[in-house]
Amino acid sequence: MALIKLRRGFDLNLKGKITQDNVAEELGSNTYAVVPDDFYGIIPRMEKKEGDTVAAGEPLYHDKNDEKIKVTSPVAGKVKEVVRGNRRKIMAIVIEPDNSGNVKTFDTKENPKALLLESGLWAMIRQRPYDIVPSTDVRPRDIFITAFDSAPLAPSLSLVMGENIKYLKKGVEVLSTMTDGKVYLGCPKDESLDDTGAEINTFVGPHPAGNAGVQAANIKPVNKGEVIWTLDVVTAARIGRLLETGMVDYSTVVALTGSGVENPCYVKATMGCTIKSLLDNRIVNDDKAKRIISGNVLTGVKEDMEGYLHAPYRHLTVINEINKKDEFMGWASLSPKKYSIYRVFTSWLLGRHKEVDLDAKLNGGERAIVMSGEYDKMLPMDIYAEFLIKAIIAFDIDKMEQLGIYEVAPEDFALAEYADTSKLELQRIVREGLDKMRAEMC
């Protein structure tokens, strides 16, 4: 077991933490949805149409470019609607449950790779480079599993995994057959998952220490021509359960967090449930508009009460849109309540790591990149982040390769985006850069 200390990064201490590990019972949802954008790199081609019945675990669609990659339904029921956007892009597949308990059972004697593809669990793994659902024709150099989420207000992955922890060893065993290298498991300092068959590394440091890609970069970085897979322990345990029982576990535990939640807590749920089924009667009742985020405040997707829980199906955050509409002197205020990770307000004298109630206000507009090294301070990887961003904007392929484009994913730049004084959408820039590289190189 190796101990890896990360000094760069930042822990954003937000108001709205969960203070107890009790899990509330599932209330049930009127509809469930699968959102294709959650499984990046797949162009969906429907296998079911509106009105068709479907069992839990039965394929809803496959990848247009590789029919072996499938995404399955989390519940049994009827395909109520296929929601389409511009140019008939599939935005969501909505399923109305019938409570029949009809669950597809898979043959555990089948080849493990084929089993993952058919069950839909393959789509929950990510490949680097490009941060996409893995290609079926490439064998990864190594596989990296993260056992913790270090994002603001993130849930405990051990608690989300629950009793499925007993299947983790089997999951690691299956994954080890799919690589010629090693399966690495990144754990936090106060928690170790022994006897899993993986090579365990303990990480100490601020966010984004829990990102599997950051862990990979500090163990064995990705070079040009190499491919690695990344996933979390929850997915690894689901893989083990599939191989042991022949069924996919679509249940999950969702953390309801943030200053906009009345009593932050954990709730049992099923993947793809409605936001309303989770947050109904749980949002703080005041005169302030609320921002509902499926995920954490750095990488999550903005949703409303009629929306659905997005992959990886374990976190909802609610914050205020704006705490104070009219503030005396605005950004120039000397109020000790003003917050910044930099020493620009007097609040840093009270301690930068105190619990804060932040809203969704941007507090400024886009401006030129300030080459001050602030991105590097938020990204514990051996790359020059600011130079990489400039190379992506210019689409200089040679420089992008030299500066580490193959190692990164948008989520790795989420903290830098929050800290960015230039207010640039770094995650969008990185995503567009990866897409252009993929189109150019593949």
Side-chain angles (χ1 to χ4, degrees), residues 195-210:
D195 193 31
T196 60
E199 181 168 312
I200 297 176
N201 294 276
T202 301
F203 286 84
V204 177
H207 182 66

Side-chain angles (χ1 to χ4, degrees), residues 192-379:
S192 180
L193 297 169
D194 299 323
D195 193 31
T196 60
E199 181 168 312
I200 297 176
N201 294 276
T202 301
F203 286 84
V204 177
H207 182 66
N211 287 9
V214 169
Q215 295 174 10
N218 285 274
I219 297 172
K220 195 175 180 182
V222 186
N223 297 311
K224 183 178 180 180
E226 296 178 337
V227 169
I228 64 168
W229 290 356
T230 62
L231 64 157
D232 58 36
V233 286
V234 179
T235 302
R238 285 196 178 106
I239 291 172
R241 179 167 181 154
L242 171 65
L243 269 294
E244 290 279 3
T245 66
M247 292 186 291
V248 181
D249 178 27
Y250 294 100
S251 66
T252 185
V253 173
V254 184
L256 309 181
T257 65
S259 59
V261 177
E262 192 71 54
N263 292 299
C265 62
Y266 289 104
V267 178
K268 289 182 181 178
T270 301
M271 294 179 182
C273 64
T274 60
I275 301 294
K276 186 175 182 180
S277 69
L278 295 169
L279 289 178
D280 200 20
N281 298 320
R282 285 192 168 104
I283 293 182
V284 173
N285 186 17
D286 57 20
D287 59 350
K288 296 178 181 178
K290 297 292 186 287
R291 170 74 64 92
I292 299 173
I293 304 165
S294 184
N296 65 69
V297 292
L298 299 177
T299 63
V301 178
K302 181 182 177 182
E303 273 292 356
D304 55 37
M305 288 292 279
E306 303 306 315
Y308 294 89
L309 183 68
H310 289 258
Y313 310 112
R314 61 173 183 248
H315 194 188
L316 274 180
T317 311
V318 183
I319 60 175
N320 293 323
E321 285 285 358
I322 300 176
N323 280 331
K324 294 182 179 179
K325 293 183 179 179
D326 301 307
E327 187 176 12
F328 178 66
M329 295 180 67
W331 62 268
S333 170
L334 298 177
S335 170
K337 295 182 179 179
K338 295 287 286 184
Y339 178 81
S340 173
I341 64 173
Y342 305 112
R343 295 184 177 185
V344 295
F345 301 117
T346 56
S347 59
W348 72 268
L349 295 169
L350 304 177
R352 290 194 308 164
H353 299 284
K354 68 173 185 176
E355 193 174 86
V356 291
D357 181 10
L358 298 184
D359 58 23
K361 190 176 180 181
L362 189 58
N363 290 317
E366 287 190 8
R367 54 187 75 92
I369 293 178
V370 180
M371 301 295 286
S372 61
E374 61 184 359
Y375 298 174
D376 297 330
K377 294 175 183 176
M378 300 295 154
L379 186 61

Side-chain angles (χ1 to χ4, degrees), residues 55-90:
E58 194 173 355
L60 292 171
Y61 65 86
H62 61 257
D63 183 13
K64 179 181 177 181
N65 297 321
D66 189 342
E67 293 186 7
K68 295 190 292 293
I69 301 177
K70 300 184 178 183
V71 175
T72 57
S73 174
V75 293
K78 181 177 71 173
V79 178
K80 181 180 180 181
E81 183 182 8
V82 179
V83 182
R84 295 182 182 269
N86 294 334
R87 302 180 67 179
R88 291 186 57 78
K89 176 184 176 181
I90 299 174

Side-chain angles (χ1 to χ4, degrees), residues 11-265:
D11 285 326
L12 192 57
N13 191 11
L14 296 183
K15 182 180 178 183
K17 289 186 179 68
I18 297 175
T19 56
Q20 55 185 0
D21 291 342
N22 296 334
V23 180
E25 290 299 319
E26 182 174 3
L27 297 177
S29 176
N30 293 328
T31 56
Y32 296 81
V34 172
V35 180
D37 281 351
D38 291 342
F39 308 101
Y40 208 85
I42 294 180
I43 300 175
R45 175 166 286 177
M46 295 297 297
E47 294 192 10
K48 297 288 183 178
K49 60 181 184 295
E50 290 184 7
D52 285 353
T53 57
V54 64
E58 194 173 355
L60 292 171
Y61 65 86
H62 61 257
D63 183 13
K64 179 181 177 181
N65 297 321
D66 189 342
E67 293 186 7
K68 295 190 292 293
I69 301 177
K70 300 184 178 183
V71 175
T72 57
S73 174
V75 293
K78 181 177 71 173
V79 178
K80 181 180 180 181
E81 183 182 8
V82 179
V83 182
R84 295 182 182 269
N86 294 334
R87 302 180 67 179
R88 291 186 57 78
K89 176 184 176 181
I90 299 174
M91 308 302 294
I93 299 102
V94 181
I95 302 111
E96 187 174 34
D98 58 13
N99 300 316
S100 66
N102 188 13
V103 180
K104 181 174 181 179
T105 303
F106 299 89
D107 183 4
T108 57
K109 295 179 181 179
E110 192 176 355
N111 178 278
K113 180 177 178 179
L115 200 57
L116 293 186
L117 289 164
E118 186 68 24
S119 68
L121 287 180
W122 183 278
M124 296 187 183
I125 303 170
R126 291 294 173 268
Q127 167 194 304
R128 297 202 187 196
Y130 311 127
D131 188 41
I132 57 174
V133 173
S135 302
T136 58
D137 56 353
V138 178
R139 193 172 174 87
R141 186 204 68 196
D142 297 292
I143 299 175
F144 294 85
I145 305 171
T146 180
F148 68 107
D149 188 344
S150 57
L153 303 178
S156 162
L157 295 193
S158 295
L159 194 147
V160 175
M161 186 165 45
E163 63 180 19
N164 281 348
I165 191 171
K166 62 187 177 185
Y167 300 112
L168 180 58
K169 185 175 181 179
K170 182 66 175 180
V172 171
E173 179 185 321
V174 171
L175 290 168
S176 65
T177 66
M178 299 183 183
T179 176
D180 296 323
K182 296 180 179 180
V183 177
Y184 295 93
L185 180 62
C187 297
K189 184 179 180 181
D190 56 349
E191 183 178 334
S192 180
L193 297 169
D194 299 323
D195 193 31
T196 60
E199 181 168 312
I200 297 176
N201 294 276
T202 301
F203 286 84
V204 177
H207 182 66
N211 287 9
V214 169
Q215 295 174 10
N218 285 274
I219 297 172
K220 195 175 180 182
V222 186
N223 297 311
K224 183 178 180 180
E226 296 178 337
V227 169
I228 64 168
W229 290 356
T230 62
L231 64 157
D232 58 36
V233 286
V234 179
T235 302
R238 285 196 178 106
I239 291 172
R241 179 167 181 154
L242 171 65
L243 269 294
E244 290 279 3
T245 66
M247 292 186 291
V248 181
D249 178 27
Y250 294 100
S251 66
T252 185
V253 173
V254 184
L256 309 181
T257 65
S259 59
V261 177
E262 192 71 54
N263 292 299
C265 62

